Amino acid sequence: AQSVTQLGSHVSVSEGALVLLRCNYSSSVPPYLFWYVQYPNQGLQLLLKYTTGATLVKGINGFEAEFKKSETSFHLTKPSAHMSDAAEYFCAVSEIASDWMGKYIFGTGTRLKVLA
Amino acid sequence: DGGITQSPKYLFRKEGQNVTLSCEQNLNHDAMYWYRQDPGQGLRLIYYSQIVNDFQKGDIAEGYSVSREKKESFPLTVTSAQKNPTAFYLCASSNGRVAKNIQYFGAGTRLSVL
Protein backbone atom coordinates (compact mmCIF):
# COMPACT_ATOMS: atom_id res chain seq x y z
CA ALA A 1 0.00 0.00 0.00
CA GLN A 2 1.10 3.50 -0.68
CA SER A 3 1.96 5.88 2.15
CA VAL A 4 3.24 9.41 2.57
CA THR A 5 5.57 10.75 5.26
CA GLN A 6 6.08 14.44 5.90
CA LEU A 7 9.07 15.05 8.16
CA GLY A 8 8.50 17.85 10.62
CA SER A 9 5.00 18.79 11.67
CA HIS A 10 6.18 22.36 12.30
CA VAL A 11 8.85 24.28 10.40
CA SER A 12 9.96 27.85 11.13
CA VAL A 13 11.99 30.01 8.75
CA SER A 14 12.95 33.65 8.68
CA GLU A 15 11.45 35.91 6.06
CA GLY A 16 13.69 35.74 2.99
CA ALA A 17 15.19 32.37 3.92
CA LEU A 18 14.92 29.12 1.99
CA VAL A 19 11.81 27.04 2.56
CA LEU A 20 12.26 23.25 2.48
CA LEU A 21 9.35 20.97 3.32
CA ARG A 22 10.04 17.25 3.10
CA CYS A 23 7.86 14.53 1.65
CA ASN A 24 8.73 10.88 1.19
CA TYR A 25 6.44 8.23 -0.21
CA SER A 26 6.36 4.48 -0.44
CA SER A 27 5.01 2.88 -3.56
CA SER A 28 5.75 -0.14 -5.68
CA VAL A 29 5.26 1.90 -8.83
CA PRO A 30 6.02 5.55 -9.59
CA PRO A 31 3.05 7.49 -8.24
CA TYR A 32 1.51 10.81 -9.07
CA LEU A 33 2.45 13.39 -6.45
CA PHE A 34 0.84 16.61 -5.30
CA TRP A 35 1.48 19.47 -2.90
CA TYR A 36 -1.43 21.41 -1.46
CA VAL A 37 -1.53 24.49 0.77
CA GLN A 38 -4.16 25.24 3.40
CA TYR A 39 -4.67 28.64 5.03
CA PRO A 40 -6.48 28.75 8.39
CA ASN A 41 -10.10 27.64 8.23
CA GLN A 42 -9.98 27.21 4.47
CA GLY A 43 -9.92 24.35 2.00
CA LEU A 44 -6.86 23.02 0.21
CA GLN A 45 -5.39 24.70 -2.84
CA LEU A 46 -3.13 22.92 -5.29
CA LEU A 47 0.45 24.24 -5.37
CA LEU A 48 1.89 21.83 -7.92
CA LYS A 49 1.77 18.28 -9.17
CA TYR A 50 4.04 15.69 -10.74
CA THR A 51 2.59 13.19 -13.18
CA THR A 52 5.14 12.42 -15.87
CA GLY A 53 7.95 14.17 -17.71
CA ALA A 54 10.26 16.74 -16.14
CA THR A 55 11.08 15.85 -12.56
CA LEU A 56 11.43 19.47 -11.44
CA VAL A 57 7.96 20.91 -11.19
CA LYS A 58 7.17 24.60 -10.77
CA GLY A 59 4.01 25.70 -9.06
CA ILE A 60 2.25 28.81 -7.89
CA ASN A 61 3.62 31.44 -5.51
CA GLY A 62 7.25 30.63 -6.40
CA PHE A 63 7.20 27.07 -5.07
CA GLU A 64 8.79 24.13 -6.81
CA ALA A 65 9.36 20.45 -6.09
CA GLU A 66 11.62 17.77 -7.47
CA PHE A 67 10.61 14.16 -7.93
CA LYS A 68 13.53 11.88 -7.02
CA LYS A 69 12.64 8.29 -7.74
CA SER A 70 15.84 6.88 -6.21
CA GLU A 71 15.09 8.66 -2.93
CA THR A 72 11.29 8.26 -3.15
CA SER A 73 11.03 11.93 -2.32
CA PHE A 74 9.10 14.97 -3.50
CA HIS A 75 10.39 17.84 -1.36
CA LEU A 76 8.86 21.31 -1.70
CA THR A 77 11.11 24.36 -1.86
CA LYS A 78 10.94 28.11 -2.23
CA PRO A 79 14.09 30.22 -2.44
CA SER A 80 12.83 33.11 -0.33
CA ALA A 81 10.05 32.88 2.25
CA HIS A 82 7.39 35.54 2.48
CA MET A 83 5.11 36.22 5.42
CA SER A 84 2.15 35.20 3.28
CA ASP A 85 3.61 31.67 2.95
CA ALA A 86 2.63 30.88 6.54
CA ALA A 87 0.16 28.04 6.20
CA GLU A 88 -0.12 24.26 6.41
CA TYR A 89 1.24 22.21 3.55
CA PHE A 90 0.15 18.72 2.57
CA CYS A 91 1.86 16.22 0.33
CA ALA A 92 -0.39 13.67 -1.39
CA VAL A 93 0.07 10.55 -3.48
CA SER A 94 -2.44 9.32 -5.98
CA GLU A 95 -3.24 5.69 -5.44
CA ILE A 96 -2.72 4.23 -8.87
CA ALA A 97 -2.54 0.57 -7.92
CA SER A 98 -6.09 0.17 -6.68
CA ASP A 99 -9.61 -0.29 -7.93
CA TRP A 100 -10.21 3.43 -7.80
CA MET A 101 -7.36 5.41 -9.23
CA GLY A 102 -8.62 8.79 -8.14
CA LYS A 103 -7.95 8.30 -4.43
CA TYR A 104 -5.32 10.33 -2.67
CA ILE A 105 -3.19 9.37 0.32
CA PHE A 106 -2.30 12.48 2.31
CA GLY A 107 0.62 13.14 4.58
CA THR A 108 -0.05 14.52 8.05
CA GLY A 109 0.91 18.03 7.04
CA THR A 110 3.64 20.55 7.88
CA ARG A 111 2.77 23.88 9.41
CA LEU A 112 5.10 26.60 8.14
CA LYS A 113 5.77 29.62 10.30
CA VAL A 114 7.58 32.62 8.81
CA LEU A 115 9.44 34.85 11.24
CA ALA A 116 9.84 38.55 10.61
CA ASP B 1 -17.17 31.05 -11.17
CA GLY B 2 -16.81 27.26 -11.01
CA GLY B 3 -16.10 25.70 -7.67
CA ILE B 4 -17.23 23.71 -4.67
CA THR B 5 -19.56 25.19 -2.07
CA GLN B 6 -19.79 23.74 1.41
CA SER B 7 -22.38 24.82 3.92
CA PRO B 8 -22.70 25.72 6.65
CA LYS B 9 -19.26 27.03 7.56
CA TYR B 10 -19.84 26.22 11.25
CA LEU B 11 -22.19 23.59 12.65
CA PHE B 12 -23.03 22.48 16.15
CA ARG B 13 -24.40 19.08 17.04
CA LYS B 14 -26.30 18.11 20.15
CA GLU B 15 -25.97 14.70 21.76
CA GLY B 16 -27.86 12.03 19.81
CA GLN B 17 -28.55 14.31 16.88
CA ASN B 18 -27.89 13.65 13.19
CA VAL B 19 -26.55 16.57 11.19
CA THR B 20 -26.06 16.98 7.45
CA LEU B 21 -23.24 18.84 5.74
CA SER B 22 -23.88 20.14 2.26
CA CYS B 23 -21.48 19.97 -0.69
CA GLU B 24 -22.34 21.32 -4.13
CA GLN B 25 -20.06 21.58 -7.17
CA ASN B 26 -20.57 23.24 -10.55
CA LEU B 27 -17.39 21.88 -12.13
CA ASN B 28 -19.24 19.04 -13.89
CA HIS B 29 -16.99 16.55 -12.12
CA ASP B 30 -17.97 12.89 -11.88
CA ALA B 31 -16.11 12.08 -8.67
CA MET B 32 -16.69 13.58 -5.24
CA TYR B 33 -15.07 12.96 -1.87
CA TRP B 34 -15.53 13.67 1.84
CA TYR B 35 -12.53 14.03 4.15
CA ARG B 36 -12.22 14.53 7.87
CA GLN B 37 -9.34 16.66 9.14
CA ASP B 38 -8.08 16.47 12.71
CA PRO B 39 -4.99 18.31 14.01
CA GLY B 40 -1.81 16.38 13.29
CA GLN B 41 -3.60 13.62 11.36
CA GLY B 42 -3.86 15.07 7.91
CA LEU B 43 -6.92 14.26 5.83
CA ARG B 44 -8.72 10.95 6.15
CA LEU B 45 -11.18 9.73 3.54
CA ILE B 46 -14.73 9.13 4.77
CA TYR B 47 -16.66 8.35 1.57
CA TYR B 48 -16.21 8.81 -2.13
CA SER B 49 -18.43 8.64 -5.16
CA GLN B 50 -17.34 7.90 -8.71
CA ILE B 51 -20.69 8.50 -10.34
CA VAL B 52 -24.29 9.39 -9.57
CA ASN B 53 -26.14 6.83 -7.42
CA ASP B 54 -22.92 5.08 -6.46
CA PHE B 55 -20.56 5.59 -3.52
CA GLN B 56 -17.95 3.65 -1.54
CA LYS B 57 -16.69 3.70 2.02
CA GLY B 58 -13.35 5.26 2.66
CA ASP B 59 -11.03 4.61 5.57
CA ILE B 60 -13.25 5.99 8.37
CA ALA B 61 -16.87 5.56 7.21
CA GLU B 62 -18.33 4.34 10.52
CA GLY B 63 -20.87 6.79 11.90
CA TYR B 64 -21.32 8.61 8.60
CA SER B 65 -23.65 8.26 5.63
CA VAL B 66 -23.84 9.87 2.19
CA SER B 67 -26.05 10.03 -0.88
CA ARG B 68 -25.37 10.92 -4.50
CA GLU B 69 -28.70 11.55 -6.20
CA LYS B 70 -27.40 14.36 -8.39
CA LYS B 71 -24.05 14.83 -10.08
CA GLU B 72 -23.48 18.20 -8.45
CA SER B 73 -24.42 17.25 -4.88
CA PHE B 74 -22.84 14.93 -2.30
CA PRO B 75 -24.23 15.57 1.20
CA LEU B 76 -22.66 13.96 4.27
CA THR B 77 -24.71 13.01 7.33
CA VAL B 78 -22.91 12.68 10.63
CA THR B 79 -25.06 10.28 12.62
CA SER B 80 -25.42 9.86 16.37
CA ALA B 81 -23.30 6.72 16.02
CA GLN B 82 -20.25 8.92 15.39
CA LYS B 83 -19.07 9.42 18.96
CA ASN B 84 -16.31 11.91 18.21
CA PRO B 85 -17.61 14.14 15.41
CA THR B 86 -15.71 17.31 16.28
CA ALA B 87 -13.49 18.00 13.27
CA PHE B 88 -13.07 20.03 10.10
CA TYR B 89 -14.84 18.39 7.16
CA LEU B 90 -13.69 18.94 3.58
CA CYS B 91 -15.48 18.05 0.37
CA ALA B 92 -13.59 17.62 -2.89
CA SER B 93 -14.28 16.72 -6.50
CA SER B 94 -12.26 15.53 -9.47
CA ASN B 95 -12.85 14.83 -13.12
CA GLY B 96 -13.22 11.11 -13.18
CA ARG B 97 -11.28 7.99 -12.53
CA VAL B 98 -7.83 9.11 -13.55
CA ALA B 99 -5.01 8.98 -11.05
CA LYS B 100 -3.34 12.17 -12.17
CA ASN B 101 -6.50 14.25 -11.92
CA ILE B 102 -6.48 17.10 -9.48
CA GLN B 103 -8.89 17.16 -6.57
CA TYR B 104 -10.52 20.53 -5.95
CA PHE B 105 -11.60 21.38 -2.44
CA GLY B 106 -14.36 23.36 -0.82
CA ALA B 107 -13.75 25.78 2.07
CA GLY B 108 -14.82 23.25 4.69
CA THR B 109 -17.34 22.90 7.52
CA ARG B 110 -16.23 22.97 11.13
CA LEU B 111 -18.41 20.71 13.27
CA SER B 112 -18.47 20.97 17.04
CA VAL B 113 -20.42 19.14 19.70
CA LEU B 114 -22.52 21.11 22.19
Side-chain angles (χ1 to χ4, degrees):
Chain A
Q2 295 177 326
S3 65
V4 178
T5 301
Q6 289 185 241
L7 289 176
S9 59
H10 293 81
V11 171
S12 294
V13 300
S14 297
E15 190 173 21
L18 172 72
V19 176
L20 171 61
L21 304 182
R22 300 178 186 274
C23 174
N24 288 86
Y25 67 90
S26 65
S27 174
S28 58
V29 297
Y32 299 127
L33 297 153
F34 306 82
W35 273 101
Y36 282 83
V37 62
Q38 183 182 35
Y39 298 100
N41 292 311
Q42 294 188 26
L44 275 66
Q45 178 185 7
L46 182 73
L47 277 176
L48 48 81
K49 69 174 184 177
Y50 169 78
T51 53
T52 56
T55 56
L56 181 62
V57 180
K58 295 186 185 299
I60 63 172
N61 301 340
F63 284 94
E64 61 183 37
E66 186 171 11
F67 171 59
K68 293 187 176 180
K69 183 179 176 181
S70 61
E71 298 178 8
T72 60
S73 70
F74 191 56
H75 301 331
L76 182 71
T77 61
K78 182 174 180 178
S80 176
H82 190 272
M83 297 298 288
S84 61
D85 294 326
E88 190 156 21
Y89 293 80
F90 291 93
C91 182
V93 170
S94 185
E95 197 171 73
I96 61 175
S98 74
D99 60 328
W100 168 238
M101 292 190 293
K103 286 170 63 178
Y104 283 9
I105 306 297
F106 281 92
T108 52
T110 297
R111 188 170 297 277
L112 176 65
K113 185 175 183 178
V114 181
L115 306 172
Chain B
D1 288 338
I4 300 174
T5 301
Q6 290 188 241
S7 63
K9 191 170 178 64
Y10 299 95
L11 186 58
F12 298 90
R13 193 189 89 168
K14 294 179 181 178
E15 199 73 35
Q17 186 182 41
N18 294 350
V19 292
T20 297
L21 285 61
S22 171
C23 178
E24 303 276 333
Q25 54 101 356
N26 60 3
L27 299 168
N28 200 32
H29 285 167
D30 287 317
M32 297 186 74
Y33 312 80
W34 273 107
Y35 293 93
R36 172 179 171 140
Q37 185 177 17
D38 296 281
Q41 296 193 46
L43 278 72
R44 293 181 290 168
L45 184 63
I46 304 173
Y47 270 97
Y48 61 101
S49 169
Q50 303 173 41
I51 198 168
V52 175
N53 293 321
D54 183 60
F55 50 83
Q56 284 79 39
K57 293 181 179 180
D59 301 318
I60 56 165
E62 186 174 351
Y64 301 97
S65 66
V66 294
S67 63
R68 187 85 186 277
E69 298 176 0
K70 298 186 295 182
K71 185 176 185 178
E72 60 270 23
S73 179
F74 191 41
L76 173 75
T77 296
V78 183
T79 74
S80 57
Q82 173 50 247
K83 298 306 180 187
N84 183 24
T86 297
F88 192 51
Y89 291 85
L90 288 162
C91 178
S93 71
S94 69
N95 191 17
R97 188 181 171 179
V98 178
K100 61 183 178 181
N101 280 351
I102 298 166
Q103 290 190 17
Y104 296 86
F105 286 81
T109 293
R110 187 167 297 281
L111 176 62
S112 301
V113 176
L114 288 176

